Amino acid sequence: GDSVTQMEGPVTLSEEAFLTINCTYTATGYPSLFWYVQYPGEGLQLLLKATKADDKGSNKGFEATYRKETTSFHLEKGSVQVSDSAVYFCARATNTGNQFYFGTGTSLTVIP
Amino acid sequence: DAGVTQSPTHLIKTRGQQVTLRCSPISGHKSVSWYQQVLGQGPQFIFQYYEKEERGRGNFPDRFSARQFPNYSSELNVNALLLGDSALYLCASTIWGGNYNEQFFGPGTRLTVL
């Protein structure tokens, strides 16, 4: 069935390290893909998105490229900061756009 | 501009009780969705409403119901609460139509069922 699978955490990195969080999806067609971030005690904030194959979403130094060949949307950042510590969720929309499927989330802790 | 607002922030109920959660979308957004986020998991889709009509429903029992009002605000009702209903309930609003299906989330209502 339709689903989103993302790398399990928790992930602990030192400041300025390189970050990759893997995300793959299953779907018919080419759904829009998203990364959301959730800081402690808060709701979800959109981090970046890509609406078609080969699109690259980017924001605040984070990037993710929509790869239809591998049905992936991996999140990357070249140099993480302590303030990036949060839970990251990969999500895809249904083709009709009326609901989102989320991954289980990956907790990231960045230590000074 | 105000974002998505939800009330109450926290709620404690006992098994068998009923609860109503409220959500106001971003001004101009006509669609509201509800999600349940159990601790340590990703949000699970419950409902989507547009123009007061249900446009999508997730795999939740009939104890869960919702409605949308003419001003596009929404309520989520859960009857006969179970311990497993304890979760963060998230409301998201979106502009309806075309490929613009980005959802903006509120801070959530934390429901604890004892």
Side-chain angles (χ1 to χ4, degrees):
Chain A
D2 296 335
S3 68
V4 175
T5 303
Q6 65 180 99
M7 185 175 81
E8 290 188 13
V11 174
T12 302
L13 295 173
S14 298
E15 205 165 22
E16 300 183 0
F18 183 84
L19 168 71
T20 298
I21 301 178
N22 291 338
C23 172
T24 58
Y25 67 92
T26 58
T28 55
Y30 303 105
S32 295
L33 301 174
F34 305 82
W35 277 100
Y36 281 84
V37 59
Q38 188 173 36
Y39 298 101
E42 299 184 10
L44 277 71
Q45 300 177 23
L46 178 66
L47 181 60
L48 53 84
K49 66 179 179 180
T51 58
K52 60 183 186 295
D54 300 324
D55 266 2
K56 176 184 284 188
S58 61
N59 185 29
K60 300 180 180 179
F62 291 89
E63 292 183 341
T65 301
Y66 191 140
R67 306 276 188 203
K68 66 177 181 180
E69 299 84 5
T70 53
T71 61
S72 65
F73 193 55
H74 304 324
L75 182 68
E76 296 182 338
K77 186 174 185 181
S79 176
V80 294
Q81 306 300 312
V82 172
S83 58
D84 294 327
S85 298
V87 180
Y88 292 82
F89 292 92
C90 184
R92 60 166 286 265
T94 55
N95 291 335
T96 55
N98 70 342
Q99 71 181 75
F100 278 23
Y101 293 99
F102 284 86
T104 54
T106 301
S107 176
L108 170 66
T109 300
V110 180
I111 55 177
Chain B
D1 288 340
V4 178
T5 59
Q6 293 186 243
S7 64
T9 305
H10 295 88
L11 205 52
I12 299 175
K13 293 286 189 179
T14 57
R15 283 179 298 174
Q17 285 189 311
Q18 175 266 341
V19 68
T20 298
L21 311 180
R22 297 176 176 81
C23 170
S24 292
I26 293 171
S27 177
H29 286 195
K30 298 183 178 181
S31 179
V32 169
S33 298
W34 288 96
Y35 291 81
Q36 180 195 65
Q37 185 180 16
V38 173
L39 192 63
Q41 297 184 19
Q44 298 291 315
F45 173 75
I46 310 175
F47 287 110
Q48 185 181 46
Y49 276 78
Y50 172 68
E51 292 285 12
K52 298 181 289 181
E53 291 188 5
E54 182 183 302
R55 296 301 183 105
R57 184 185 183 109
N59 188 25
F60 280 81
D62 292 343
R63 298 185 296 109
F64 289 77
S65 63
R67 56 179 174 169
Q68 187 178 33
F69 299 98
N71 66 353
Y72 305 114
S73 67
S74 177
E75 288 182 351
L76 175 70
N77 294 284
V78 187
N79 293 323
L81 286 167
L82 303 174
L83 296 179
D85 295 331
S86 295
L88 180 68
Y89 287 84
L90 296 167
C91 172
S93 77
T94 186
I95 295 174
W96 183 270
N99 293 320
Y100 196 83
N101 53 11
E102 177 181 334
Q103 299 200 1
F104 296 83
F105 284 83
T109 293
R110 174 74 62 186
L111 172 65
T112 301
V113 182
L114 302 176

